[in-house]
Amino acid sequence: MKKSFLTFTLAASVLALSACSDGGDEKAIVTSDVGDVTKEELYQEMKTSIGEQAIQILLIEKVLAENFDVSDKEVNAEYDSNKEELGESFDQFLEQNNQTEESYKKVIRLNLLQEKALTEGIDVTDEEIQAQYDRQGTELNARHILVADEETANSLKKQLDEGADFAKLAEENSTDTGSAAKGGNVDWFGPGAMVPEFEEAAYNLEIDKISDPVQSEFGFHIIQVLEKRQVKDQPALEDQKEEIRSEIALTKADQTTLLPKVAELMKEANVEIQDEDLKGALDDILNPPAPAAPAGE
């Protein structure tokens, strides 16, 4: 499932509530024997608690929707993909996040708008798409030894090069206790299942070859690919081409460019906040603080 750029729960709540803003300010939205709650009272309460964040989310959605197109087909495809990925736990996922199908699709649309803004102008070649398609159609069966430091990893690699038993070294040294008990075996996996550094190294290894130490957030891995197999019933390239293109473009994109791009679009849209209490809601976007100077300067 793709990661949301904005806080999921807040974005979903704001986008859902924005659809309920018609009618008079004094219209009661809750009635009771102890008093009513009007839209104006709700507005004032929301303004105090999440007003500035809500303004940011709503304006980001509006300026991006004006400049980039996201079709219902794209939203529904992403929704269906997430639903299939989570399987029986999908309804629980929606419930835990206080979402309905409609509100979740609003978040998906906003996320896709942000992706299109981020990847605008990024080139992806047909060769890159073909390579990623081929990778997606291949699963690996591999094993690894994970250790905390490079010195230990180099020592173990030297022992392996000299004929030491991989499974025995994994059992005795690997900090990945789950795989260590199986001689380092991580079983079959495909793209996206492992951290990027592990995946890149494994997919570039020939069968039975042992990698040099590969650093990831977890430590240093020594990897050996035991088998490769083709994925059954992989969809045709043409059916996946645009999705793969988008995924590759996102890996190339610099996410720090998103807010400056949004700020430029907001300036072009002549955004003016009329509520005095919320005048500074967009300051962090339109006038971001200068980055701190490196230490020693």
Side-chain angles (χ1 to χ4, degrees), residues 138-143 185 187-189 202-203 205-209 224-230:
T138 305
E139 293 178 324
L140 307 180
N141 181 16
R143 58 185 178 178
N185 200 291
D187 298 322
W188 290 95
F189 66 91
Y203 271 93
L205 277 175
E206 296 178 13
I207 291 177
D208 293 331
K209 294 292 184 181
Q224 184 180 40
V225 173
L226 304 173
E227 301 174 87
K228 297 184 180 183
R229 70 184 181 192
Q230 295 303 114

Side-chain angles (χ1 to χ4, degrees), residues 128-233:
E128 289 174 308
I129 293 172
Q130 183 67 55
Q132 181 61 25
Y133 177 76
D134 292 342
R135 178 175 290 192
Q136 289 180 184
T138 305
E139 293 178 324
L140 307 180
N141 181 16
R143 58 185 178 178
H144 79 142
I145 303 171
L146 176 64
V147 293
D149 61 275
E150 189 172 14
E151 183 179 354
T152 303
N154 285 329
S155 173
L156 292 172
K157 176 62 163 64
K158 185 174 184 295
Q159 293 176 57
L160 291 167
D161 289 343
E162 293 172 350
D165 183 80
F166 194 109
K168 187 171 185 294
L169 287 184
E171 291 171 4
E172 294 174 349
N173 297 275
S174 184
T175 59
D176 179 4
T177 54
S179 68
K182 299 182 293 182
N185 200 291
V186 295
D187 298 322
W188 290 95
F189 66 91
M194 302 295 183
V195 290
E197 299 87 354
F198 187 107
E199 177 182 315
E200 193 65 24
Y203 271 93
N204 284 303
L205 277 175
E206 296 178 13
I207 291 177
D208 293 331
K209 294 292 184 181
I210 298 174
S211 74
D212 290 326
V214 176
Q215 186 176 10
S216 79
E217 62 186 284
F218 298 108
F220 291 84
H221 309 258
I222 300 170
I223 306 165
Q224 184 180 40
V225 173
L226 304 173
E227 301 174 87
K228 297 184 180 183
R229 70 184 181 192
Q230 295 303 114
V231 174
K232 293 181 180 179
D233 302 322

Side-chain angles (χ1 to χ4, degrees), residues 3-23:
K3 181 180 179 181
S4 294
F5 292 86
L6 297 170
T7 304
F8 174 81
T9 303
L10 178 61
S13 300
V14 169
L15 292 170
L17 284 169
S18 68
C20 307
S21 59
D22 59 327

Side-chain angles (χ1 to χ4, degrees), residues 15 56-66 110 113:
L15 292 170
Q56 291 173 8
I57 291 170
L58 291 172
L59 262 297
I60 288 172
E61 192 273 336
K62 288 181 183 295
V63 298
L64 292 181
E66 181 67 21
L110 176 58
L113 284 168

Side-chain angles (χ1 to χ4, degrees), residues 251-263:
T251 65
K252 294 182 174 185
D254 179 359
Q255 294 200 14
T256 64
T257 65
L258 179 61
L259 283 183
K261 182 171 288 189
V262 168

